[in-house]
Short mmCIF file of all heavy atoms in Angstrom, two decimals:
data_model
loop_
_atom_site.label_atom_id
_atom_site.label_comp_id
_atom_site.label_asym_id
_atom_site.label_seq_id
_atom_site.Cartn_x
_atom_site.Cartn_y
_atom_site.Cartn_z
N TYR J 1 27.03 89.03 93.90
CA TYR J 1 27.82 90.24 94.16
C TYR J 1 28.70 90.07 95.39
O TYR J 1 29.90 90.40 95.37
CB TYR J 1 26.86 91.43 94.34
CG TYR J 1 27.51 92.70 94.83
CD1 TYR J 1 28.28 93.49 93.99
CD2 TYR J 1 27.33 93.12 96.17
CE1 TYR J 1 28.87 94.66 94.44
CE2 TYR J 1 27.92 94.29 96.62
CZ TYR J 1 28.69 95.05 95.75
OH TYR J 1 29.27 96.21 96.21
N GLN J 2 28.15 89.52 96.47
CA GLN J 2 28.91 89.36 97.70
C GLN J 2 30.09 88.41 97.52
O GLN J 2 31.16 88.61 98.08
CB GLN J 2 27.99 88.87 98.83
CG GLN J 2 27.02 89.92 99.34
CD GLN J 2 27.71 91.18 99.86
OE1 GLN J 2 28.82 91.12 100.36
NE2 GLN J 2 27.04 92.32 99.72
N ARG J 3 29.89 87.34 96.72
CA ARG J 3 30.99 86.41 96.52
C ARG J 3 32.10 87.06 95.70
O ARG J 3 33.29 86.85 95.96
CB ARG J 3 30.53 85.13 95.83
CG ARG J 3 31.58 84.04 96.03
CD ARG J 3 31.46 82.85 95.13
NE ARG J 3 30.19 82.19 95.15
CZ ARG J 3 29.97 81.03 94.52
NH1 ARG J 3 30.95 80.44 93.86
NH2 ARG J 3 28.78 80.48 94.53
N VAL J 4 31.74 87.87 94.72
CA VAL J 4 32.75 88.57 93.93
C VAL J 4 33.55 89.51 94.82
O VAL J 4 34.79 89.51 94.80
CB VAL J 4 32.08 89.35 92.78
CG1 VAL J 4 33.11 90.26 92.09
CG2 VAL J 4 31.48 88.39 91.77
N ILE J 5 32.86 90.29 95.62
CA ILE J 5 33.54 91.24 96.51
C ILE J 5 34.47 90.51 97.48
O ILE J 5 35.64 90.89 97.67
CB ILE J 5 32.51 92.06 97.31
CG1 ILE J 5 31.69 92.97 96.39
CG2 ILE J 5 33.20 92.88 98.40
CD1 ILE J 5 32.47 94.09 95.78
N GLY J 6 33.97 89.43 98.08
CA GLY J 6 34.76 88.71 99.07
C GLY J 6 35.94 87.98 98.47
O GLY J 6 36.98 87.85 99.12
N ARG J 7 35.80 87.51 97.23
CA ARG J 7 36.85 86.70 96.63
C ARG J 7 37.98 87.55 96.03
O ARG J 7 39.15 87.22 96.19
CB ARG J 7 36.24 85.81 95.54
CG ARG J 7 37.20 84.84 94.91
CD ARG J 7 37.61 83.77 95.88
NE ARG J 7 38.42 82.75 95.23
CZ ARG J 7 39.25 81.96 95.86
NH1 ARG J 7 39.39 82.04 97.17
NH2 ARG J 7 39.96 81.06 95.20
N ILE J 8 37.62 88.63 95.34
CA ILE J 8 38.65 89.39 94.63
C ILE J 8 39.06 90.67 95.36
O ILE J 8 40.15 91.20 95.10
CB ILE J 8 38.21 89.74 93.19
CG1 ILE J 8 37.12 90.82 93.19
CG2 ILE J 8 37.76 88.50 92.44
CD1 ILE J 8 36.76 91.33 91.80
N GLY J 9 38.24 91.12 96.30
CA GLY J 9 38.54 92.39 96.96
C GLY J 9 39.85 92.39 97.73
O GLY J 9 40.72 93.24 97.49
N PRO J 10 40.04 91.47 98.69
CA PRO J 10 41.28 91.51 99.50
C PRO J 10 42.57 91.43 98.70
O PRO J 10 43.48 92.24 98.92
CB PRO J 10 41.10 90.31 100.45
CG PRO J 10 39.62 90.14 100.57
CD PRO J 10 39.07 90.48 99.21
N PRO J 11 42.71 90.49 97.73
CA PRO J 11 43.99 90.45 97.00
C PRO J 11 44.22 91.67 96.11
O PRO J 11 45.36 92.11 95.95
CB PRO J 11 43.90 89.16 96.18
CG PRO J 11 42.47 88.82 96.11
CD PRO J 11 41.85 89.34 97.37
N ILE J 12 43.16 92.23 95.52
CA ILE J 12 43.35 93.41 94.67
C ILE J 12 43.73 94.61 95.53
O ILE J 12 44.65 95.37 95.21
CB ILE J 12 42.10 93.70 93.83
CG1 ILE J 12 41.79 92.54 92.89
CG2 ILE J 12 42.29 94.99 93.03
CD1 ILE J 12 40.51 92.71 92.10
N GLU J 13 43.05 94.77 96.67
CA GLU J 13 43.37 95.89 97.54
C GLU J 13 44.78 95.78 98.09
O GLU J 13 45.49 96.78 98.24
CB GLU J 13 42.37 95.96 98.69
CG GLU J 13 42.53 97.18 99.57
CD GLU J 13 41.42 97.33 100.58
OE1 GLU J 13 40.77 96.31 100.91
OE2 GLU J 13 41.18 98.46 101.04
N ALA J 14 45.24 94.54 98.39
CA ALA J 14 46.59 94.35 98.92
C ALA J 14 47.66 94.65 97.88
O ALA J 14 48.73 95.15 98.22
CB ALA J 14 46.75 92.91 99.42
N GLY J 15 47.38 94.33 96.61
CA GLY J 15 48.40 94.49 95.58
C GLY J 15 48.35 95.80 94.84
O GLY J 15 49.39 96.30 94.38
N CYS J 16 47.15 96.39 94.70
CA CYS J 16 47.01 97.66 93.96
C CYS J 16 45.76 98.38 94.45
O CYS J 16 44.69 98.28 93.84
CB CYS J 16 46.92 97.36 92.46
SG CYS J 16 46.93 98.84 91.42
N PRO J 17 45.87 99.10 95.56
CA PRO J 17 44.70 99.75 96.16
C PRO J 17 43.94 100.66 95.20
O PRO J 17 42.70 100.72 95.25
CB PRO J 17 45.30 100.56 97.32
CG PRO J 17 46.58 99.87 97.64
CD PRO J 17 47.10 99.33 96.34
N ALA J 18 44.65 101.36 94.33
CA ALA J 18 43.96 102.26 93.40
C ALA J 18 43.05 101.49 92.45
O ALA J 18 41.95 101.95 92.11
CB ALA J 18 44.99 103.05 92.59
N LEU J 19 43.48 100.30 92.03
CA LEU J 19 42.66 99.47 91.16
C LEU J 19 41.40 99.00 91.88
O LEU J 19 40.31 98.99 91.31
CB LEU J 19 43.47 98.28 90.66
CG LEU J 19 42.74 97.26 89.77
CD1 LEU J 19 42.18 97.92 88.51
CD2 LEU J 19 43.68 96.12 89.41
N TRP J 20 41.55 98.62 93.16
CA TRP J 20 40.38 98.16 93.90
C TRP J 20 39.39 99.31 94.15
O TRP J 20 38.19 99.12 94.12
CB TRP J 20 40.78 97.52 95.23
CG TRP J 20 39.59 97.07 96.03
CD1 TRP J 20 39.24 97.43 97.29
CD2 TRP J 20 38.56 96.18 95.59
NE1 TRP J 20 38.07 96.84 97.68
CE2 TRP J 20 37.63 96.05 96.65
CE3 TRP J 20 38.32 95.49 94.40
CZ2 TRP J 20 36.49 95.27 96.55
CZ3 TRP J 20 37.19 94.69 94.30
CH2 TRP J 20 36.29 94.59 95.36
N GLU J 21 39.91 100.50 94.40
CA GLU J 21 39.02 101.65 94.60
C GLU J 21 38.16 101.87 93.35
O GLU J 21 36.96 102.13 93.45
CB GLU J 21 39.84 102.90 94.91
CG GLU J 21 39.00 104.12 95.21
CD GLU J 21 39.84 105.33 95.58
OE1 GLU J 21 41.07 105.19 95.68
OE2 GLU J 21 39.26 106.41 95.76
N TYR J 22 38.78 101.74 92.17
CA TYR J 22 38.02 101.88 90.92
C TYR J 22 37.00 100.75 90.78
O TYR J 22 35.81 100.99 90.50
CB TYR J 22 38.98 101.88 89.74
CG TYR J 22 38.28 101.70 88.40
CD1 TYR J 22 37.68 102.78 87.76
CD2 TYR J 22 38.21 100.44 87.80
CE1 TYR J 22 37.02 102.61 86.54
CE2 TYR J 22 37.56 100.26 86.59
CZ TYR J 22 36.97 101.34 85.97
OH TYR J 22 36.32 101.16 84.77
N LEU J 23 37.46 99.51 90.97
CA LEU J 23 36.59 98.36 90.76
C LEU J 23 35.43 98.33 91.74
O LEU J 23 34.31 97.98 91.37
CB LEU J 23 37.40 97.07 90.88
CG LEU J 23 37.90 96.43 89.60
CD1 LEU J 23 38.73 95.20 89.91
CD2 LEU J 23 36.75 96.08 88.67
N ARG J 24 35.70 98.65 92.99
CA ARG J 24 34.65 98.60 94.00
C ARG J 24 33.48 99.50 93.62
O ARG J 24 32.31 99.12 93.74
CB ARG J 24 35.21 99.00 95.36
CG ARG J 24 34.22 98.90 96.51
CD ARG J 24 34.92 99.10 97.83
NE ARG J 24 35.71 100.34 97.83
CZ ARG J 24 36.54 100.67 98.81
NH1 ARG J 24 36.72 99.87 99.84
NH2 ARG J 24 37.21 101.82 98.75
N GLY J 25 33.81 100.69 93.13
CA GLY J 25 32.75 101.60 92.70
C GLY J 25 31.98 101.07 91.50
O GLY J 25 30.74 101.13 91.46
N ARG J 26 32.70 100.52 90.52
CA ARG J 26 32.04 99.95 89.33
C ARG J 26 31.15 98.77 89.70
O ARG J 26 30.02 98.63 89.20
CB ARG J 26 33.08 99.51 88.31
CG ARG J 26 33.79 100.62 87.56
CD ARG J 26 32.87 101.36 86.59
NE ARG J 26 32.08 100.46 85.76
CZ ARG J 26 32.53 99.88 84.64
NH1 ARG J 26 33.77 100.09 84.24
NH2 ARG J 26 31.73 99.10 83.93
N LEU J 27 31.63 97.91 90.57
CA LEU J 27 30.85 96.73 90.95
C LEU J 27 29.57 97.12 91.67
O LEU J 27 28.51 96.53 91.45
CB LEU J 27 31.69 95.80 91.83
CG LEU J 27 32.87 95.11 91.15
CD1 LEU J 27 33.78 94.46 92.19
CD2 LEU J 27 32.38 94.08 90.14
N ALA J 28 29.68 98.13 92.54
CA ALA J 28 28.48 98.59 93.25
C ALA J 28 27.45 99.16 92.28
O ALA J 28 26.24 98.92 92.41
CB ALA J 28 28.88 99.64 94.30
N GLU J 29 27.92 99.90 91.28
CA GLU J 29 27.01 100.47 90.28
C GLU J 29 26.29 99.36 89.50
O GLU J 29 25.07 99.41 89.31
CB GLU J 29 27.79 101.34 89.29
CG GLU J 29 28.31 102.64 89.86
CD GLU J 29 29.16 103.39 88.84
OE1 GLU J 29 29.11 103.02 87.64
OE2 GLU J 29 29.88 104.32 89.23
N GLU J 30 27.05 98.35 89.05
CA GLU J 30 26.47 97.32 88.20
C GLU J 30 25.60 96.35 88.99
O GLU J 30 24.74 95.68 88.42
CB GLU J 30 27.56 96.56 87.45
CG GLU J 30 28.54 97.45 86.68
CD GLU J 30 27.88 98.53 85.86
OE1 GLU J 30 26.73 98.33 85.40
OE2 GLU J 30 28.47 99.61 85.70
N ASN J 31 25.83 96.27 90.31
CA ASN J 31 24.96 95.43 91.14
C ASN J 31 23.52 95.91 91.06
O ASN J 31 22.58 95.11 91.11
CB ASN J 31 25.46 95.46 92.59
CG ASN J 31 24.71 94.50 93.47
OD1 ASN J 31 24.28 93.43 93.04
ND2 ASN J 31 24.55 94.87 94.74
N GLU J 32 23.35 97.22 90.91
CA GLU J 32 22.00 97.78 90.81
C GLU J 32 21.33 97.38 89.50
O GLU J 32 20.11 97.42 89.38
CB GLU J 32 22.07 99.31 90.90
CG GLU J 32 22.68 99.84 92.19
CD GLU J 32 21.87 99.44 93.40
OE1 GLU J 32 20.62 99.42 93.30
OE2 GLU J 32 22.48 99.13 94.45
#
């Protein structure tokens, strides 16, 4: 989970913040 967040988070947030806001929530849910 941490590698996914660290690898894809910064470029997605830089290019499309709304998409990262959606994905970050989904990733946190599925980590559980």
Side-chain angles (χ1 to χ4, degrees):
Y1 170 75
Q2 288 302 330
R3 197 195 305 188
V4 171
I5 294 291
R7 185 69 174 157
I8 72 173
I12 298 176
E13 186 172 23
C16 186
L19 177 59
W20 178 237
E21 183 177 356
Y22 167 82
L23 263 178
R24 183 171 52 188
R26 287 291 313 277
L27 292 168
E29 289 176 14
E30 307 314 330
N31 186 33
E32 301 298 323

